[in-house]
Amino acid sequence: MQQAVLMLVLATMVYTVSLDLRIADFRYVATHPLAVGVGLVSQFVLLPGATLLATLVLDLPPATEAAMMLVAACPGGALSNVITHLGRGNLALSLSISAVSNVLALVLTPLNFTLMIGANPQTAAWARSISVDPRDLVVSLLLLLALPMTAALLTTHKAPAFAARIRKPLGHFAAFALAAFIILAVAAQWKLFVIELTRTLPVVVMQNALGLGLGYVASVLAKLSVVDRRAVVVESGMQNSGLALGIIAAQFSSDLAMVAVAGLWGIWHIVSGGTLALLWRSLDKKRPQHA
């Protein structure tokens, strides 16, 4: 019952966020393929690859490493668009990367997760012991991502006034419900969570820094403009940890070590993203004209 409620809440969040998607977000790809491509490669290739290497080097419990892989395999979250806007990055680019990545995630998230799990001997043995089936992951993505996103696009197209009316109240409800779920889950196992916190938070900070750093390096090498670089950096370092939480609930019985990673990601990337946005705005005051 608890898992079903969480999945419903997360599906509602995806539906609400997807009400902001427009066909133009997808058309933008045709006119700016390099910038969008750099963002997608950073998100679906560089971060998963770096995460796999990190898990091979670090001596962490298999469930923690698996959660790191799952978060790295997820597409960017909707919060990335807000942070990009606050940081005066290219919002159109951010929206386009988010839109395309959420579609590609239906294939690339289970593919990347399966490849990473299998490439690490520890997580491969762990996955066999609990009978992880990639097909179940696809089903979860269809329920948590594809269906609500499709429903939102149809709502926006067929009933734009209704979509505009329900966007805010639905968003507030879903955010409150998700926060309440995480708080209740942590409170129920508080002592164990504190133990997880001390070893998981540094890992989350490190992995988030990897995502942001790789996005920056890739965008600089591609010679993107400053505003495009900001969008790519944010999209690369702000993963959809809510989606990861839903998959963990559906497929891994809300394993505490995995919930700790995804839950802390959801908190930390707000801190890191918000800090970046403030830094960029401060730089803009000193340098009003940027490339």
Side-chain angles (χ1 to χ4, degrees):
M1 180 62 182
Q2 188 183 46
Q3 294 173 359
V5 170
L6 176 60
M7 291 188 71
L8 181 61
V9 168
L10 290 169
T12 303
M13 288 190 75
V14 171
Y15 174 80
T16 306
V17 168
S18 299
L19 289 172
D20 288 322
L21 290 180
R22 298 291 182 271
I23 299 301
D25 298 333
F26 296 94
R27 289 179 183 152
Y28 189 91
V29 179
T31 54
H32 301 78
L34 177 61
V36 175
V38 171
L40 294 173
V41 168
S42 297
Q43 201 169 84
F44 285 119
V45 178
L46 300 183
L47 180 57
T51 296
L52 173 61
L53 290 176
T55 62
L56 291 171
V57 172
L58 300 172
D59 185 21
L60 298 169
T64 299
E65 293 184 343
M68 292 171 62
M69 294 172 181
L70 179 58
V71 170
C74 283
L79 189 61
S80 61
N81 308 142
V82 176
I83 295 297
T84 298
H85 177 66
L86 290 175
R88 294 174 179 165
N90 187 337
L91 181 58
L93 175 58
S94 177
L95 288 167
S96 294
I97 295 173
S98 293
V100 176
S101 68
N102 276 275
V103 174
L104 293 178
L106 297 173
V107 174
L108 294 183
T109 293
L111 177 63
N112 275 346
F113 183 62
T114 303
L115 289 174
M116 284 187 282
I117 283 281
N120 182 316
Q122 273 191 298
T123 53
W126 172 83
R128 285 193 298 270
S129 71
I130 62 172
S131 302
V132 174
D133 189 340
R135 290 173 296 184
D136 294 336
L137 191 58
V138 173
V139 172
S140 292
L141 285 168
L142 288 173
L143 294 174
L144 290 169
L145 201 58
L147 289 181
M149 187 164 62
T150 302
L153 287 170
L154 287 172
T155 304
T156 304
H157 179 68
K158 298 289 185 182
F162 175 70
R165 195 161 60 247
I166 65 172
R167 185 181 290 115
K168 270 194 176 180
L170 261 186
H172 291 157
F173 162 75
F176 173 79
L178 179 60
F181 179 91
I182 294 173
I183 290 170
L184 290 173
V186 169
Q189 303 185 69
W190 176 248
K191 289 183 179 178
L192 290 175
F193 182 78
V194 170
I195 295 172
E196 288 294 338
L197 179 67
T198 56
R199 67 184 176 192
T200 302
L201 183 57
V203 171
V204 167
V205 172
M206 177 273 298
Q207 190 183 16
N208 177 242
L210 271 177
L212 296 170
L214 289 168
Y216 178 77
V217 171
S219 59
V220 168
L221 291 176
K223 298 181 179 179
L224 300 183
S225 66
V226 170
V227 291
D228 285 357
R229 283 205 303 265
R230 291 178 182 180
V232 169
V233 167
V234 173
E235 289 293 331
S236 302
M238 299 193 73
Q239 305 307 100
N240 193 340
S241 55
L243 178 61
L245 279 171
I247 293 171
I248 290 166
Q251 307 300 331
F252 301 100
S253 302
S254 295
D255 180 277
L256 182 62
M258 299 187 77
V259 168
V261 172
L264 287 172
W265 248 97
I267 297 168
W268 177 253
H269 74 183
I270 295 174
V271 175
S272 63
T275 301
L276 269 180
L278 291 174
L279 174 62
W280 288 333
R281 290 176 73 91
S282 175
L283 289 174
D284 285 348
K285 288 181 180 177
K286 300 175 183 177
R287 184 192 56 197
Q289 299 297 321
H290 50 265

